[in-house]
Amino acid sequence: LLKDDNDGRRLAARTEVGDRTRAYAAYGLGLLARASDDLAVKTAVHDALIAVLKDPAISHRDLRTAAVCGLGLLVADPDRSAYKRLAWQTVDELAAWYQLDLGPGDELIQAQAPIAIGRLLGRGRSPVHERCKELFVVEFTARERRSNPILQAAAIALGMLCHAGEVHAADAAFSQGLQRHYERGTDKLSRYLAVMSLGRIGGAANQQWLQHAYLTAHK
């Protein structure tokens, strides 16, 4: 169904598989891979979904969004060593695609990538974690600002990836980035998501900051 090949068209009983059906097939493949302990199944799903994402002939937003979200579901446990190589490969591919200049119209789709990356990696301090944290925190201070969904996704992803500063000292800078975005950002939703991510990260310093932010908030 996803590939819209002859077998898929026969299943759909149509001359072509609709883009919405193909999108649901992509979600289904992601869920199937997540539930499977077979690396071959996960790899086959990865290959099918990344092909959709990289195909310049595919423009349908639902289908491309589903491909990104499906890729984010490949690995349920980021700490399982058997799947770590595939997870990190997928993260590198998603991060590269996320940084492409596809124009404002496609940034809504690219905004799915940080959350998919957060699901694939979980909280950690590996080199790939650090690269992704840096990639997302700079969205708050970039001279050429991207669209609000990008800011919102970056805020969510940092809450998924970062440790509290008391656990990993280097990560304190990312909590501070989220705090500054709440204090100085112009997009309300991304500011609120930054606050929620600080709660997810936790730690005494973030707790103290959140208590102060609560007391000084107007709404």
Side-chain angles (χ1 to χ4, degrees):
L1 289 170
L2 175 69
K3 294 178 179 179
D4 186 24
D5 58 15
N6 288 334
D7 290 334
R9 293 173 184 182
R10 191 158 41 249
L11 282 171
R14 295 177 180 273
T15 56
E16 65 177 20
V17 182
D19 287 326
R20 292 294 299 277
T21 300
R22 295 177 69 190
Y24 282 116
Y27 287 122
L29 284 168
L31 291 168
L32 179 67
R34 189 176 185 83
S36 175
D37 289 329
D38 188 341
L39 180 59
V41 170
K42 293 181 183 293
T43 301
V45 171
H46 162 274
D47 294 348
L49 294 177
I50 204 71
V52 168
L53 192 60
K54 292 183 175 182
D55 187 346
I58 296 176
S59 59
H60 196 274
R61 288 188 174 189
D62 288 349
L63 178 52
R64 296 167 68 208
T65 297
V68 179
C69 294
L71 288 166
L73 294 173
L74 285 176
V75 176
D77 183 359
D79 294 326
R80 286 278 297 273
S81 58
Y83 310 137
K84 192 165 287 187
R85 182 175 180 180
L86 177 62
W88 286 8
Q89 174 190 342
T90 308
V91 165
D92 286 341
E93 291 166 333
L94 287 171
W97 175 79
Y98 167 79
Q99 295 176 81
L100 295 175
D101 184 6
L102 302 179
D106 276 351
E107 286 187 354
L108 184 62
I109 307 171
Q110 287 177 295
Q112 309 302 319
I115 299 168
I117 288 170
R119 289 194 181 111
L120 287 167
L121 290 180
R123 211 174 303 283
R125 59 182 78 175
S126 70
V128 68
H129 279 89
E130 299 307 316
R131 287 199 306 272
C132 291
K133 294 171 193 175
E134 293 286 353
L135 177 63
F136 300 141
V137 79
V138 297
E139 297 292 359
F140 301 144
T141 56
R143 297 182 67 178
E144 294 186 10
R145 178 182 161 185
R146 299 174 79 185
S147 63
N148 289 339
I150 293 287
L151 296 176
Q152 295 155 12
I156 295 171
L158 288 169
M160 302 168 77
L161 295 168
C162 297
H163 285 290
E166 293 87 353
V167 176
H168 181 43
D171 275 8
F174 302 112
S175 287
Q176 291 163 8
L178 289 165
Q179 292 167 13
R180 284 193 297 271
H181 183 62
Y182 172 74
E183 292 165 349
R184 305 173 190 175
T186 57
D187 174 54
K188 286 185 177 181
L189 182 53
S190 63
R191 292 176 61 227
Y192 301 157
L193 290 167
V195 169
M196 294 171 68
S197 283
L198 288 166
R200 295 186 74 179
I201 294 168
N206 281 339
Q207 182 182 17
Q208 184 178 9
W209 184 91
L210 286 166
Q211 288 171 333
H212 175 75
Y214 175 77
L215 293 172
T216 57
H218 297 298
K219 295 184 180 180

